[in-house]
């Protein structure tokens, strides 16, 4: 299954009061339900977006599940960064859903600069993917 992580600083975010903000860093996490983890071998492959030195992808083991983390630090840019990824179920069936979360931090440089951070999490249902292949 193909995924795309998207971090955008600009557009509506470039209007007052957020004009002049630049992306500092982002972090995306995805993980399958606990029930999927049992006896399933899966991989997440990620394509780095361009020539970013501080881009990393790693697994973090939680007590009952393995989370895939995609992170870019020291971006200092405006616009959109797209990170293509693939969830490979290793020949098995895709999970019914993926849990996901993100955190993005942006700042406005200068004497009266400011830093803002947004984070959220949710569940991405994959039932239609399993039905259509």
């Amino acid at each position: 299954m193909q995924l795309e992580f998207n971090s955008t600083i600009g557009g509506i975010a470039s209007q007052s009061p957020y004009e002049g903000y630049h992306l500092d860093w982002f972090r995306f996490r995805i993980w399958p339900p606990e029930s999927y983890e049992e006896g399933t071998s899966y991989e997440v492959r990620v394509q780095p977006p361009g020539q970013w030195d501080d881009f990393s992808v790693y697994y973090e083991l939680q007590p009952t599940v393995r989370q895939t983390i995609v992170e870019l630090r020291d971006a200092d840019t405006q616009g959109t960064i797209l990170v293509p990824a693939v969830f490979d179920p290793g020949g098995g069936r895709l999970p019914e859903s993926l849990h996901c979360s993100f955190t993005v931090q942006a700042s406005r440089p200068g004497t009266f600069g400011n830093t803002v951070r947004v984070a959220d999490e949710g569940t991405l249902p994959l039932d239609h993917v399993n039905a259509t292949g």
Side-chain angles (χ1 to χ4, degrees), residues 32-54:
E34 290 178 27
S35 59
Y36 183 77
E37 282 277 327
E38 298 169 4
T40 304
S41 177
Y42 68 90
E43 291 182 350
V44 178
R45 294 185 297 276
V46 177
Q47 180 178 335
Q51 301 299 319
W52 298 98
D53 290 334
D54 291 323

Side-chain angles (χ1 to χ4, degrees), residues 38-132:
E38 298 169 4
T40 304
S41 177
Y42 68 90
E43 291 182 350
V44 178
R45 294 185 297 276
V46 177
Q47 180 178 335
Q51 301 299 319
W52 298 98
D53 290 334
D54 291 323
F55 180 79
S56 60
V57 178
Y58 53 94
Y59 292 114
E60 186 174 281
L61 297 176
Q62 299 296 325
T64 58
V65 72
R66 177 179 61 158
Q67 294 183 349
T68 302
I69 301 168
V70 176
E71 186 173 86
L72 175 63
R73 296 203 160 268
D74 298 323
D76 191 26
T77 188
Q78 285 190 326
T80 299
I81 297 175
L82 300 175
V83 183
V86 172
F87 183 94
D88 181 356
R93 199 169 191 309
L94 286 171
E96 292 179 8
S97 63
L98 286 176
H99 300 286
C100 48
S101 70
F102 75 91
T103 305
V104 177
Q105 179 175 301
S107 61
R108 182 173 45 206
T111 306
F112 300 104
N114 195 16
T115 299
V116 294
R117 187 180 294 176
V118 63
D120 202 0
E121 62 181 64
T123 301
L124 177 64
L126 302 179
D127 291 341
H128 67 282
V129 175
N130 284 324
T132 61

